[in-house]
Amino acid sequence: MSIGNGTGEDQRYVVWLDIDNTLYPRSTRIADLMSQRIHAYFLSMGFTEEDANSLHFKYYSQYGLALRGLMKHHEIDAQDFDRKCDGSLPLETILKPDPKVRKMIQDIDRCKARVWALTNAYSTHANRVLNILQLDDLVEGVFFCDYADPNFSCKPERDFYDEAMRVAGVTDASKCLFVDDNLNNVKAAKALGWGSSVLYSEREEGNAMKEHPHVEGVDAVIGRLEELRLVWKDIFVETSS
Ligand SMILES: [Mg+2]
């Protein structure tokens, strides 16, 4: 990896792919299973149902990640939280590799762009998902939330994006192309001057293709992940299909 500025820096784009509910469909309902586990964690801390619901919502809305709020306001062991929440998800029975997604990522021209994952999950979950989806060999690196650090940052905090760029060795924000299913995360990247910030708003199977709504503060909205081929035309290899 080439790090630095001036002549030593890799001039290619960096494609940053969110993982959860982006590389696999939201319709898998994994997000619901995660939510149930996080709720159970709040209950195990002694909160009532009502307080668990409101704090979970508050922390997620305020920090982009319930765990971030738990770390800020309560003394919890983030890795214990991760084991009981993401770590206990039956991902192997729910997730399946999608050949269309794999082919799409494969078709990103590596002479023009490098591919990284950018996730609010811990490395254990991130790597597990990439492995089950059979996408792990297609990403150069995974930038994840370091739950081992009590002051870890996460999307949509500026520090998280800045550190991701540093680790990937890119100093020019306009070289960063980002897709995520969370509007706040996409808007944050756009506000930092990332070259392209795309919101993935999953279109249900069977729904006809229709015009995407204009969303303030993002560059594009896609309904299927493969539509990145159209949004980022210049970085894909020519394919006959
Ligand atoms: Mg996501």
Side-chain angles (χ1 to χ4, degrees):
M1 188 192 307
S2 108
I3 297 180
N5 44 32
T7 53
E9 183 166 319
D10 194 319
Q11 294 302 309
R12 290 176 294 168
Y13 286 99
V14 180
V15 168
W16 297 97
L17 303 168
D18 172 47
I19 296 180
D20 289 301
N21 302 308
T22 293
L23 295 182
Y24 61 80
R26 181 169 285 277
S27 47
T28 55
R29 307 195 72 88
I30 286 173
D32 295 343
L33 298 178
M34 274 183 193
S35 250
Q36 289 164 10
R37 283 159 170 77
I38 296 170
H39 183 73
Y41 197 90
F42 276 99
L43 294 181
S44 76
M45 292 170 67
F47 291 111
T48 62
E49 287 280 345
E50 200 180 1
D51 288 347
N53 282 332
S54 67
L55 277 179
H56 184 176
F57 178 74
K58 182 179 166 201
Y59 292 161
Y60 180 75
S61 314
Q62 199 169 343
Y63 301 113
L65 191 62
L67 176 59
R68 183 78 164 109
L70 283 169
M71 297 288 286
K72 269 185 184 271
H73 304 291
H74 312 269
E75 283 187 11
I76 71 142
D77 175 348
Q79 284 167 307
D80 174 63
F81 174 93
D82 185 58
R83 272 191 300 276
K84 289 176 177 155
C85 296
D86 285 356
S88 73
L89 292 166
L91 299 177
E92 285 78 3
T93 58
I94 303 174
L95 290 179
K96 288 182 198 63
D98 180 341
K100 291 195 294 299
V101 171
R102 181 172 171 86
K103 183 76 168 68
M104 190 270 293
I105 299 173
Q106 236 169 2
D107 285 347
I108 294 171
D109 187 342
R110 296 310 197 271
C111 295
K112 295 177 180 164
R114 303 184 280 136
V115 179
W116 278 63
L118 186 68
T119 177
N120 271 359
Y122 189 44
S123 54
T124 322
H125 175 77
N127 289 324
R128 184 177 170 211
V129 173
L130 290 172
N131 181 268
I132 298 170
L133 296 176
Q134 295 175 11
L135 300 174
D136 43 353
D137 60 319
L138 299 182
V139 297
E140 179 180 315
V142 178
F143 193 77
F144 58 91
C145 274
D146 185 5
Y147 293 0
D149 175 355
N151 295 311
F152 73 83
S153 59
C154 64
K155 293 178 279 187
E157 293 168 73
R158 178 179 188 135
D159 282 355
F160 189 74
Y161 299 83
D162 286 347
E163 184 64 7
M165 285 177 64
R166 194 190 64 74
V167 169
V170 52
T171 54
D172 180 357
S174 74
K175 294 282 183 191
C176 294
L177 314 178
F178 176 54
V179 62
D180 195 300
D181 65 296
N182 180 298
L183 179 60
N184 289 335
N185 296 347
V186 179
K187 280 183 169 177
K190 172 85 178 156
L192 292 175
W194 278 27
S196 176
S197 297
V198 177
L199 178 66
Y200 175 32
S201 178
E202 190 181 325
R203 191 183 312 115
E204 295 292 329
E205 202 64 52
N207 275 8
M209 174 90 173
K210 53 178 188 248
E211 282 293 303
H212 294 303
H214 173 72
V215 177
E216 202 66 43
V218 313
D219 290 311
V221 183
I222 55 170
R224 304 195 63 78
L225 198 59
E226 302 91 88
E227 289 168 23
L228 287 176
R229 289 179 186 274
L230 305 172
V231 180
W232 298 335
K233 276 190 207 82
D234 294 347
I235 61 158
F236 281 89
V237 293
E238 300 283 336
T239 51
S240 48
S241 57

